[in-house]
Every structure is written in structure tokens, then in C-alpha cells.
Amino acid sequence: MCWQQDLIERVIQQVLGNEVSGVSTYNADTIDPFDIGHALGVIAEGINQGDFRASRGKKRKSSCTRGSLIIPVSCLPKTTHYEFTPGNNLNFYPANHRHFDLSISDAEELATVILNGIRNQAIRYTFIKNEPKSHKLTYHLQAVIAYSHCLQVFGNLNHSEPPSSWANGQDLTASEQLETLKHLAQV
């Protein structure tokens, strides 16, 4: 199918952020929005925003909506290079081993692949809303999935005494990461 050029341009602008290198992505095991990898990626991306942190005391607006794409590596065009870059995921340690950066040789080609993948249901999109009525795909649910996984991997998640294997981030200490995760998961 041929896509209109303005739609391709909107994907380049809105989805890829006009970037051609260093586009952050997270490895998810399936195209299921309830996958642990997806939840860890959502939290890793969101934790950098000030209004997510418990210590800021600000509550997110109830109409806050973000989107994410679950793109299997098999869907990426051969001109897209991806590199494992755990050090570039700077503020949510449990997602480090799932972090990759994309380098895009042809942004239009990747935008077309994304549109075709969504149409063919090989790529899933998820809109995550901060609204009580959107019960299935809320930030809270993604945080609960991430929290549950971290609890299994790290054991006790006391932010006053973080697990010794949990690393500090560039801007957030291990304690601040845990406090934010617990705040988002409401535990």
C-alpha cells in the first residue's frame, strides 16, 4: 500500500521525533502491551519526567496520554541498525539490559514499515492514559507489572535501603528510582 507523504512525515516527526540516530527503544519479548519488557520500557521512559516522581509532590494531569509502539526486531528494515546500549538508559536500572539505540539510514523507509506493520498487526501500538476509566492500559498498570517483575528479581524493594544490585542512575539514585516506581504502582 502506498501511504500519503504527509502521513509518512507525521510518523517521522511524531514517532521518530525527527531523529535518525540514538532513538531509544526497549526489547520486549512479545508484541503484547502487558509484556514485562514493555512495562520496564514505559517506566524507564516516564521516570525522566518530573511529574512522575513522588518527591516532586505534583500529580499528573488525569488527561495525560502517551503512546508506545511494540516493534519486533524482525519488522525493522535492513537499513536500520540497532545497538545494545545499556548505559544510555540512565535512570531506571532494571531496564538497562533491554535498552537499544536505533540508527536509521532511511527515515521514510522506517516510517512506511511502521505504518504497514500497524496495518498488518505485526506492530502494536498502545496508548497509555492516566485516567481511571482507561482501566486496561494505565501508567499504574504498567508500573504494577514493572514492580512485580522487580520484586521477583531483586526481592525486597525498600527505597530506604535499595537492593545492593540496583544501580544509581545519571540523575536518580537507586532510592529515588524505587520511590518513584512504588509511587507509580501505588504500593
Side-chain angles (χ1 to χ4, degrees):
M1 174 176 200
C2 292
W3 298 97
Q4 293 181 349
Q5 190 62 36
D6 68 321
L7 181 58
I8 292 171
E9 290 298 322
R10 282 190 284 166
V11 170
I12 293 169
Q13 291 170 0
Q14 301 298 316
V15 176
L16 303 176
N18 283 326
E19 299 292 331
V20 293
S21 65
V23 177
S24 288
T25 187
Y26 295 88
N27 177 20
D29 293 332
T30 69
I31 57 174
D32 182 351
F34 299 105
D35 176 63
I36 291 166
H38 183 63
L40 292 173
V42 167
I43 299 304
E45 186 273 334
I47 205 167
N48 292 314
Q49 300 172 31
D51 59 353
F52 274 83
R53 299 192 195 136
S55 60
R56 300 288 165 107
K58 288 171 43 180
K59 188 174 182 178
R60 292 183 320 279
K61 295 177 183 174
S62 64
S63 61
C64 178
T65 301
R66 297 188 63 85
S68 66
L69 290 172
I70 304 173
I71 305 173
V73 172
S74 61
C75 289
L76 293 174
K78 294 192 186 319
T79 58
T80 302
H81 174 75
Y82 54 96
E83 181 180 353
F84 180 54
T85 54
N88 291 351
N89 174 32
L90 301 174
N91 282 314
F92 190 57
Y93 175 75
N96 279 9
H97 67 288
R98 295 178 177 269
H99 189 267
F100 291 80
D101 281 328
L102 300 179
S103 294
I104 303 162
S105 299
D106 186 341
E108 284 192 21
E109 178 187 34
L110 182 56
T112 302
V113 165
I114 290 170
L115 290 167
N116 287 336
I118 291 170
R119 185 191 68 213
N120 298 333
Q121 297 184 355
I123 295 174
R124 298 289 170 104
Y125 58 91
T126 304
F127 291 104
I128 303 170
K129 302 176 182 182
N130 184 29
E131 297 176 20
K133 293 179 183 174
S134 62
H135 59 330
K136 288 189 176 181
L137 302 173
T138 63
Y139 282 120
H140 168 71
L141 181 58
Q142 294 296 305
V144 168
I145 293 168
Y147 181 82
S148 173
H149 171 74
C150 292
L151 194 58
Q152 287 179 326
V153 171
F154 296 99
N156 186 14
L157 298 178
N158 181 350
H159 71 273
S160 299
E161 213 175 299
S164 60
S165 57
W166 193 302
N168 289 331
Q170 180 181 26
D171 302 316
L172 297 176
T173 65
S175 179
E176 290 172 310
Q177 292 174 49
L178 281 169
E179 183 181 26
T180 300
L181 178 60
K182 291 176 87 169
H183 171 71
L184 292 171
Q186 298 175 4
V187 293

